[in-house]
Amino acid sequence: ITSVYESSLYRGENALHIAIINSNFEMIRYLFEHTDDKQKLLQERATGEFFRDGQHCYFGELPLFFAASTGQFEIFDYLVAQGADLYARD
């Protein structure tokens, strides 16, 4: 659940990032219900070339930023309730 891509193209992307992009709230809940490390899930940064600032798929690095950038406010609120840092920065 907390594994991340390690290739240069998608470095740092985890299952939570992918579930957010797919607007899959059911999967997001599943990930949080089945992990022992919620903070690791929330703090992974998607920094691969695919996600760099200025690229078509730049949503910010953290899952919280992915939710905000794609206008998924219900998911955003859920991530905050799970412990996402509102003051985090790229």
Side-chain angles (χ1 to χ4, degrees):
I1 288 177
T2 57
S3 295
V4 297
Y5 278 102
E6 295 181 4
S7 71
S8 62
L9 192 59
Y10 300 110
R11 181 170 288 118
E13 183 182 39
N14 66 14
L16 181 56
H17 290 102
I18 295 167
I20 293 166
I21 290 302
N22 287 304
S23 303
N24 191 336
F25 203 172
E26 185 177 323
M27 178 57 70
I28 292 165
R29 283 192 210 122
Y30 176 89
L31 293 170
F32 281 99
E33 289 170 4
H34 292 87
T35 185
D36 294 328
D37 195 349
K38 291 180 182 182
Q39 285 305 304
K40 182 164 178 50
L41 202 57
L42 290 165
Q43 294 175 359
E44 288 296 345
R45 294 178 177 269
T47 60
E49 293 174 29
F50 189 77
F51 304 109
R52 294 219 187 260
D53 190 8
Q55 296 297 321
H56 177 70
C57 292
Y58 178 70
F59 302 114
E61 296 174 0
L62 296 168
L64 184 66
F65 302 159
F66 271 51
S69 294
T70 56
Q72 297 184 75
F73 303 115
E74 183 179 14
I75 292 173
F76 180 93
D77 290 342
Y78 181 79
L79 297 178
V80 170
Q82 295 302 312
D85 182 0
L86 282 173
Y87 301 101
R89 301 176 86 180
D90 280 356

